[in-house]
């Protein structure tokens, strides 16, 4: 097996897979061979072709991404969850100290992998949501809800999704699930990059955190939350679209287009 490429500290890689008719049946069948016993049990209980396909792609993408950066084949990874259900690599990870997070939503699967940082990712479709104003008042801080409600009706959904994805990404990176009250932190999305604010000392130093958001794939919004031990760290983010594939026990990501590289300043 070829040596895995080096994943530098504070380098983050995001891979996106569109779930559509381009995913061949043979390829999906190959993903089934990667599942461990627990994943196989969950897969067998799923109903609906789209739901089963989304599960297979999500698990395959995670395993193949991790194998890009560690000398371990995709079917050898084992996973656990913390007390709040956040997935993690079993037995404390690998010698590379890899961290990952996953998200999927209506035709799009996303996985982020990095080292030396805490990670959260969320993707949401630009789909119609009923009662956007009521949802904002229920789940957002007063300033966030005001920003949504004050918009023209045609802009309220985009503002809501923009804040919601950031909140979801942070909650997932924090690792405590929805037990973290959403009014303990807030975002201002009016600038070029989202600004974040912590409203309780229990969340620690806000300068450790970086956030970024994109429109992707093209009907989804994606947000990243990244925390480092160093408040002045510069984070490199590489974004690719493609399809996870297998060959001779190694994983790789078949990406037809050029990677997008971003630098998130301190």
């Amino acid at each position: 097996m070829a040596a895995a490429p080096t994943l530098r500290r504070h380098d983050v890689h995001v891979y996106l897979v569109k779930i559509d008719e381009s995913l061949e049946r043979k390829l999906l069948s190959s993903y089934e061979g990667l599942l461990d016993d627990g994943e196989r049990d969950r897969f067998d209980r799923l109903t609906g072709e789209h739901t089963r396909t989304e599960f297979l792609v999500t698990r395959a993408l995670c395993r193949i991404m991790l194998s890009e950066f560690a000398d371990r084949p995709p079917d050898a990874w084992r996973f656990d969850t913390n007390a709040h259900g956040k997935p993690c690599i079993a037995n404390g990870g690998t010698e590379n100290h890899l961290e990952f997070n996953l998200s999927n939503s209506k035709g799009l699967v996303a996985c982020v992998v990095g080292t030396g940082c805490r990670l959260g990712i969320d993707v949401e479709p630009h789909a119609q949501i009923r009662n956007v104003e009521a949802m904002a008042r229920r789940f957002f801080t007063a300033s966030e809800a005001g920003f949504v409600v004050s918009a023209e009706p045609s802009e309220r959904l985009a503002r809501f999704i923009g804040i919601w994805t950031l909140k979801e990404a942070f909650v997932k990176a924090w690792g405590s699930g929805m037990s973290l009250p959403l009014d303990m932190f807030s975002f201002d999305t009016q600038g070029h990059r989202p600004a974040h604010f912590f409203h309780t000392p229990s969340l620690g130093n806000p300068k450790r955190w970086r956030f970024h958001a994109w429109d992707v794939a093209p009907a989804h919004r994606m947000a990243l939350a990244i925390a480092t031990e160093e408040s002045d760290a510069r984070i490199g983010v590489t974004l690719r679209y493609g399809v996870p594939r297998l060959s001779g026990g190694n994983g790789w990501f078949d990406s037809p287009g050029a990677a997008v590289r971003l630098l998130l300043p301190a």
Side-chain angles (χ1 to χ4, degrees):
M1 183 160 50
T6 300
L7 181 61
R8 293 179 296 179
R9 185 173 175 83
H10 302 146
D11 261 2
V12 171
H13 289 254
V14 178
Y15 289 6
L16 296 168
V17 181
K18 300 176 187 178
I19 299 179
D20 54 27
E21 63 278 356
S22 66
L23 292 172
E24 308 100 332
R25 176 56 52 189
K26 182 178 180 181
L27 182 62
L28 293 175
S29 295
S30 73
Y31 295 165
E32 292 188 43
L34 301 178
L35 303 179
D36 61 27
D37 291 343
E39 291 168 329
R40 166 59 67 178
D41 289 343
R42 290 173 58 193
F43 177 67
D44 289 342
R45 290 195 299 268
L46 294 175
T47 59
E49 182 177 359
H50 179 82
T51 301
R52 289 167 63 85
T53 297
E54 189 174 87
F55 180 87
L56 283 176
V57 173
T58 301
R59 302 317 306 165
L61 178 61
C62 177
R63 291 171 172 277
I64 287 174
M65 275 197 70
L66 291 171
S67 290
E68 288 280 350
F69 303 108
D71 293 325
R72 186 183 300 190
D75 61 355
W77 295 98
R78 295 296 178 265
F79 301 97
D80 204 345
T81 57
N82 70 7
H84 301 281
K86 182 181 180 180
C88 58
I89 300 169
N91 301 320
T94 70
E95 66 280 3
N96 301 51
H97 304 292
L98 294 175
E99 298 286 342
F100 76 94
N101 197 234
L102 296 160
S103 183
N104 55 69
S105 183
K106 294 188 177 180
L108 185 68
V109 175
C111 181
V112 57
V113 171
T115 185
C117 52
R118 185 184 290 187
L119 299 171
I121 191 168
D122 187 57
V123 291
E124 300 289 344
H126 287 297
Q128 188 61 46
I129 298 176
R130 295 182 179 180
N131 302 319
V132 168
E133 297 87 349
M135 292 276 287
R137 290 190 176 99
R138 178 181 178 185
F139 293 109
F140 292 175
T141 64
S143 62
E144 292 169 330
F147 178 64
V148 173
V149 174
S150 66
E152 294 295 325
S154 60
E155 298 177 1
R156 288 174 189 166
L157 178 61
R159 289 190 179 188
F160 178 87
I161 294 295
I163 295 172
W164 182 262
T165 51
L166 288 163
K167 282 185 172 286
E168 282 280 332
F170 177 70
V171 166
K172 294 172 74 175
W174 189 256
S176 60
M178 295 308 291
S179 64
L180 179 67
L182 296 181
D183 60 357
M184 291 176 62
F185 58 97
S186 61
F187 293 93
D188 182 344
T189 59
Q190 298 182 70
H192 176 65
R193 290 195 300 132
H196 60 283
F197 307 92
F198 292 171
H199 307 303
T200 171
S202 64
L203 294 180
N205 182 4
K207 293 183 179 180
R208 293 179 51 220
W209 289 86
R210 310 287 183 274
F211 296 91
H212 200 74
W214 302 263
D215 284 325
V216 294
H220 290 74
R221 186 72 172 174
M222 182 180 75
L224 270 182
I226 306 167
T228 65
E229 292 300 324
E230 304 89 351
S231 60
D232 60 348
R234 293 161 66 88
I235 309 295
V237 179
T238 300
L239 176 66
R240 292 184 176 91
Y241 293 89
V243 177
R245 296 188 181 275
L246 296 173
S247 177
N250 287 321
W252 80 83
F253 193 71
D254 183 8
S255 181
V260 176
R261 176 75 173 173
L262 300 172
L263 187 64
L264 306 186

